[in-house]
């Protein structure tokens, strides 16, 4: 009689880690539920019991099959907690509000793109996207799949609730699918990355369309080098290619990983089948993906072609102000601005192109990193918030588990003459330096720029002891171009609304000084109660894109 297989110790540890990750944020969730949603509080208490019992059993069961069943329990507990969290926190933010409004316009037969909806941004939790031209982006700026999926859920509630429901359900579906597609011992890692820790469910509850794109990319990325093996796609391959097109029709982030996946598939298939057959395979995948993308976009491309095209590329063209945790923090917080902000965008584009070129040249080494490399370019972008990386981390896991280096042993690598010379050992390093150098030079140009405007605070008018009404500034343009600044007074690290110009010139000529008076948004700017609050006066210009910052002491504004 055969003895049942005993689980590997690392499998036990992985199940336990996934179980422990469910503790994060659960206490605050229970506290919120216990005050006014006792049924949900009871469900969360049952989830606590499940976490504890599973922790004991994960370390004590004897059979691998029993541990696999515990992985199912961890997944079910994570899903229950995600649904409870949505039930308590489903209002969403600006992404959810815009998506829900777009879905409503679609249901009523109205145009979805190119129409501003400023009234949506009156809520306290709805953030504004300020642009360097002194305005705000009030329009929908994503491909149409997410509103299409949100439309059937408009009955769920008011505000952004329908969009948050669609994103949360998509995240749960993606987590379950990734769990199912991974080898059995690794499945709890899918639970941990998708639903544990709390960060991806929080993005879903904000209604980010990227979550739907992520869920659609899951079946594409798992074992992706095997797509088109032996020159055949089959039904599964066609479905995966269609998912790739649908992901690109949900949000723009999948656009950036697609070239890496296609380049990697071509390299693997060319090593297996030859150049012509590999090209045919990639063209078939691309054809199915493009067909799926066109089917989803067809209605909008026909009925509102201009606004539709402008909408789906809006995040790339809107000229939003600097934001994020990447290199832009140098200009935002350390050097008080830059007169060369455009170079952040150039650096990001050049880095993306360089990383793709390096991936093609060294695919046998970089192949498994295809789902990570694209996001490195965002570190240099003007909008470099960490959500661009965080929301795609389940794809990192899928590649780590299902795409080993051995898949690329025979992959084709182009070898130009400058990579096959007598000094081949040093040539790869030189290739890396040469390809990355343009983006590094652009980044240096961006961070080394100087703020073109010098601003001195000359007068303050208050509405009360704790709020400002107007600021009077003496502004000197130290640069060689006439600038039209738009002013913002901020506390902490974030951005706020622009202050309107009451008196003074809108455009300041080169090497000139002007006095301007600014009015606070809505006539008053409340001052934070904390004496340690930090104030910054910022001035953005759109053409050229520049930022000038001046730190303001509390003593300068009184209070």
């Amino acid at each position: 009689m055969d003895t049942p297989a005993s689980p590997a110790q690392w499998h036990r540890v992985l199940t336990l880690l996934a179980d422990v990750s469910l503790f994060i944020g659960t206490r605050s969730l229970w506290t919120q539920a216990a005050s006014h949603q006792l049924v949900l509080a009871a469900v969360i208490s049952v989830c606590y019991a499940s976490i504890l019992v599973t922790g004991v059993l994960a370390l004590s069961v004897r059979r691998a099959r029993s541990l696999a069943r515990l992985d199912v329990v961890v997944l079910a507990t994570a899903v229950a907690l995600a649904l409870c969290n949505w039930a308590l926190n489903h209002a969403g933010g600006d992404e959810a509000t815009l998506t829900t409004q777009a879905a409503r316009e679609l249901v009523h037969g109205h145009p979805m793109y190119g129409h501003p909806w400023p009234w949506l941004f009156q809520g306290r939790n709805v953030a504004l996207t300020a642009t360097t031209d002194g305005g705000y982006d009030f329009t929908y700026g994503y491909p149409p799949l997410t509103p299409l999926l949100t439309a059937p859920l408009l009955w769920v509630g008011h505000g952004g609730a329908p969009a948050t429901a669609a994103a949360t359900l998509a995240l749960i579906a993606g987590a379950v699918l990734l769990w199912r597609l991974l080898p059995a011992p690794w499945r709890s890692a899918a639970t941990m990355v998708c639903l544990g820790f709390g960060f991806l469910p929080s993005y879903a509850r904000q209604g980010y369309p990227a979550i739907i794109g992520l869920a659609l990319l899951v079946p594409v990325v798992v074992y992706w080098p095997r797509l088109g093996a032996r020159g055949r796609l089959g039904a599964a391959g066609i479905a995966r290619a269609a998912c790739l097109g649908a992901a690109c029709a949900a949000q723009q982030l999948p656009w950036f990983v697609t070239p890496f996946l296609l380049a990697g598939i071509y390299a693997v298939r060319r090593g297996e089948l030859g150049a012509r057959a590999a090209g045919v395979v990639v063209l078939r995948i691309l054809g199915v993906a493009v067909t799926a993308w066109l089917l989803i976009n067809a209605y909008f491309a026909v009925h509102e072609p201009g606004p539709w095209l402008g909408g789906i590329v809006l995040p790339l063209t809107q000229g939003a102000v600097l934001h994020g945790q990447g290199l832009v923090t140098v200009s935002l917080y350390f050097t008080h601005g830059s007169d060369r902000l455009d170079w952040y965008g150039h650096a990001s584009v050049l880095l993306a192109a360089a990383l793709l070129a390096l991936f093609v040249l060294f695919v046998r080494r970089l192949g498994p990193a295809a789902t990570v490399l694209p996001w490195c370019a965002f570190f240099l972008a003007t909008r470099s918030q960490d959500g661009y990386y965080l929301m795609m981390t389940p794809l990192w896991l899928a590649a780590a588990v299902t795409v080993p280096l051995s898949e690329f042993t025979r992959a084709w690598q182009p070898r130009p003459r400058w990579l096959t010379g007598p000094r081949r050992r040093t040539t790869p390093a030189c290739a890396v330096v040469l390809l990355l150098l343009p983006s590094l030079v652009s980044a240096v140009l961006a961070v080394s720029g100087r703020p073109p405007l010098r601003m001195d605070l000359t007068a303050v008018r208050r509405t009360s002891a704790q709020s400002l009404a107007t600021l009077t500034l003496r502004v000197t343009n130290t640069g060689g171009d006439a600038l039209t600044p738009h002013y913002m007074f901020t506390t902490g690290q974030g951005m706020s609304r622009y202050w309107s110009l009451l008196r003074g010139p809108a455009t300041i000529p080169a090497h000139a000084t002007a006095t301007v008076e600014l009015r606070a948004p809505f006539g008053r700017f409340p001052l934070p109660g904390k004496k340690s609050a930090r104030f910054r006066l910022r001035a953005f210009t759109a053409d050229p894109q520049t930022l000038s910052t001046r730190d303001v002491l509390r003593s300068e504004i009184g209070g």
Side-chain angles (χ1 to χ4, degrees), residues 195-471:
L195 300 175
F197 304 128
F199 60 85
L200 279 185
S202 70
Y203 279 108
R205 292 193 305 276
Q206 288 295 313
Y208 277 77
I211 294 295
I212 293 177
L214 163 69
L216 289 164
L217 283 174
V218 165
V220 180
V221 167
V222 174
Y223 295 110
W224 66 263
R226 301 180 186 179
L227 188 57
R230 296 184 297 279
R232 295 190 297 272
L233 286 182
I238 292 173
R240 294 170 70 185
C243 285
L244 178 61
C248 292
Q251 209 260 359
Q252 291 87 352
L253 285 179
W255 298 2
F256 295 90
V257 73
T258 296
F260 288 82
L261 295 177
L262 293 178
I265 291 169
Y266 176 79
V268 174
R269 296 287 78 80
R270 180 164 176 172
E272 176 194 13
L273 306 169
R276 183 174 180 179
V280 170
V281 168
V282 171
L283 285 176
R284 287 175 180 170
I285 295 171
L286 190 60
V288 174
V290 170
T291 300
W293 186 86
L294 286 175
L295 287 174
I296 295 169
N297 284 272
Y299 173 84
F300 307 94
V302 170
H303 286 81
E304 41 181 324
W308 162 77
L309 184 59
I312 65 174
V313 300
L314 184 64
L316 308 177
T317 62
Q318 67 187 170
V321 298
L322 302 188
H323 175 66
Q325 294 73 44
L327 194 64
V328 295
T329 56
V330 175
S331 295
L332 277 171
Y333 306 114
F334 294 100
T335 63
H336 299 289
S338 172
D339 55 356
R340 296 193 287 255
L341 295 185
D342 288 321
W343 286 96
Y344 282 113
H346 302 333
S348 179
V349 172
L350 290 170
L351 180 57
L355 291 173
L356 181 58
L358 289 173
F359 179 78
V360 171
L361 290 173
F362 305 107
V363 68
R364 293 179 185 175
R365 178 64 61 87
L366 297 176
T371 56
V372 183
L373 279 172
W375 321 122
C376 297
F378 286 96
F379 190 79
L380 303 186
T382 53
R383 304 286 287 184
S384 58
Q385 60 187 24
D386 58 2
Y388 296 145
Y389 332 125
L390 291 179
M391 285 188 281
M392 296 294 136
T393 47
L395 306 182
W396 304 12
L397 171 69
V401 175
T402 65
V403 186
L405 269 174
S406 58
E407 294 278 355
F408 302 90
T409 303
R410 297 176 55 193
W412 171 76
Q413 293 187 146
R415 280 296 174 262
R417 289 185 179 180
W418 52 277
L419 274 177
T420 57
R423 298 181 179 179
R424 277 174 289 189
R425 291 185 178 180
T426 59
T427 301
C430 294
V432 172
V433 172
L434 287 174
L435 288 171
L436 294 179
L437 187 61
S439 62
L440 295 177
V441 170
S442 298
V444 170
L445 287 173
V447 300
S448 62
R450 300 171 60 185
L453 299 177
R454 186 173 66 246
M455 297 175 287
D456 297 307
L457 189 62
T458 60
V460 176
R461 187 166 65 86
R462 310 169 69 91
T463 59
S464 67
Q466 292 300 319
S467 64
L468 304 178
T470 66
L471 298 175

Side-chain angles (χ1 to χ4, degrees), residues 11-348:
H11 186 184
R12 294 184 189 273
V13 172
L14 196 57
T15 302
L16 186 65
L17 288 175
D19 196 45
V20 170
S21 74
L22 303 184
F23 278 126
I24 299 175
T26 304
R27 180 180 179 183
S28 60
L29 180 65
W30 179 89
T31 302
Q32 184 182 1
S35 62
H36 62 282
Q37 293 284 351
L38 292 180
V39 173
L40 291 179
V43 173
I44 297 167
S45 294
V46 172
C47 290
Y48 266 123
S50 173
I51 294 171
L52 293 171
V53 172
T54 303
V56 173
L57 295 177
L59 298 177
S60 57
V61 295
R62 294 183 177 183
R63 297 187 301 172
R65 181 179 297 179
S66 300
L67 190 57
R69 290 171 179 166
L70 287 177
D71 290 335
V72 179
V73 175
V74 175
L75 177 64
T77 305
V79 170
L81 288 173
L83 292 174
C84 288
N85 215 327
W86 177 84
L88 291 167
N89 306 285
H90 53 256
D94 55 326
E95 308 277 349
T97 304
L98 278 170
T99 301
T100 302
Q101 182 64 29
R104 289 196 177 100
E105 298 292 335
L106 177 64
V107 168
H108 289 92
H110 300 154
M112 195 173 74
Y113 290 105
H115 294 274
W117 304 312
W119 64 87
L120 298 177
F121 296 83
Q122 303 300 322
R124 183 187 307 174
N125 297 322
V126 181
L128 282 169
T129 299
T131 55
T132 55
D133 61 2
Y136 309 95
D137 193 352
F138 297 126
T139 61
Y140 189 72
Y142 299 104
L145 180 59
T146 304
L148 287 170
L149 296 177
T150 302
L153 299 173
L154 290 176
W155 58 270
V156 167
H158 301 289
T164 63
T168 299
L169 291 175
L171 178 63
I172 291 173
V176 172
L177 182 60
L178 182 57
W179 187 96
R180 183 65 183 85
L181 293 175
L182 291 183
W186 293 101
R187 287 174 173 172
S188 277
T191 303
M192 180 165 46
V193 173
C194 293
L195 300 175
F197 304 128
F199 60 85
L200 279 185
S202 70
Y203 279 108
R205 292 193 305 276
Q206 288 295 313
Y208 277 77
I211 294 295
I212 293 177
L214 163 69
L216 289 164
L217 283 174
V218 165
V220 180
V221 167
V222 174
Y223 295 110
W224 66 263
R226 301 180 186 179
L227 188 57
R230 296 184 297 279
R232 295 190 297 272
L233 286 182
I238 292 173
R240 294 170 70 185
C243 285
L244 178 61
C248 292
Q251 209 260 359
Q252 291 87 352
L253 285 179
W255 298 2
F256 295 90
V257 73
T258 296
F260 288 82
L261 295 177
L262 293 178
I265 291 169
Y266 176 79
V268 174
R269 296 287 78 80
R270 180 164 176 172
E272 176 194 13
L273 306 169
R276 183 174 180 179
V280 170
V281 168
V282 171
L283 285 176
R284 287 175 180 170
I285 295 171
L286 190 60
V288 174
V290 170
T291 300
W293 186 86
L294 286 175
L295 287 174
I296 295 169
N297 284 272
Y299 173 84
F300 307 94
V302 170
H303 286 81
E304 41 181 324
W308 162 77
L309 184 59
I312 65 174
V313 300
L314 184 64
L316 308 177
T317 62
Q318 67 187 170
V321 298
L322 302 188
H323 175 66
Q325 294 73 44
L327 194 64
V328 295
T329 56
V330 175
S331 295
L332 277 171
Y333 306 114
F334 294 100
T335 63
H336 299 289
S338 172
D339 55 356
R340 296 193 287 255
L341 295 185
D342 288 321
W343 286 96
Y344 282 113
H346 302 333
S348 179

